[in-house]
Structure formats: C-alpha cells, structure tokens
Amino acid sequence: YGAVEIDVCQFDAELGPVTRMERARTDVEVQGRGGTNFQPIIDYTASHSEYDGLLILTDGQAPAPSLPPHFSTHILWVCQDKTAYEAYHEWMQRLGRCCYL
C-alpha cells in the first residue's frame, strides 16, 4: 500500500528480533505479556536513521519514554481500545500521534 519496507519487532522490557515483512500478511498474531518498557524501541529507532515512522500497538500501561534530542521519526501510538486511549493519550500525543482500535 505504498510502504517500501516494514520491519516488525515485538518487545516488552527488551527488544525481540526485528523481522522484515516482505509482503502483506493477514495472519499476524500480537501477544502481550506485561512488563512493557518503550525506551528500548525508541533507542533502537533513534540509532537507525533509515526509519521514518514507528507504529506502536499497545495497552499503554508503561512509563512514557524519553525521546533523544535528535529523534525525528514520526510515532503513531495505537491503543488497544478507547479505555487505554483515554488513560494514556495525553503523554502519547506529546511524543507523536495517537488513536485506538
């Protein structure tokens, strides 16, 4: 749909492997385990300047990360539902855009 490349990384307190999606998929499974920390994915993205966008699917239940001064990647926070959005959208919107499923 116009995206040249999409990398996927599941994370909680640490990053999982970064996997390149070669084509559209309909069988994606997202699992949550708790203990979320957004800082590792922010730091990873900051150290890879080729990324122009970061999409984070979340329940929002984690501390807000700190963005490095040079961080220029656009962030879209996608909350799992309206309740999570209402609870966390204020800090998420300071760091990017926010919506819910």
Side-chain angles (χ1 to χ4, degrees):
Y1 302 114
V4 177
E5 296 174 342
I6 295 177
D7 290 348
V8 176
C9 178
Q10 292 192 40
F11 66 95
D12 45 30
E14 298 179 0
L15 289 180
V18 177
T19 305
R20 171 93 9 108
M21 289 185 67
E22 301 287 333
R23 62 192 193 308
R25 294 179 53 185
T26 58
D27 62 339
V28 176
E29 181 179 334
V30 178
Q31 297 177 343
R33 298 183 306 207
T36 302
N37 181 357
F38 297 118
Q39 200 61 53
I41 193 65
I42 295 296
D43 294 344
Y44 178 84
T45 304
S47 68
H48 290 81
S49 60
E50 67 271 19
Y51 293 120
D52 59 0
L54 177 60
L55 177 73
I56 298 178
L57 306 175
T58 183
D59 63 5
Q61 295 181 21
S66 299
L67 300 185
H70 64 279
F71 195 86
S72 61
T73 303
H74 300 281
I75 302 173
L76 175 60
W77 302 90
V78 181
C79 296
Q80 70 179 17
D81 54 32
K82 187 175 181 179
T83 301
Y85 173 83
E86 289 172 347
Y88 304 107
H89 76 278
E90 288 184 20
W91 70 258
M92 290 178 178
Q93 288 177 336
R94 285 194 299 271
L95 303 178
R97 295 184 179 237
C98 183
C99 65
Y100 64 90
L101 296 176

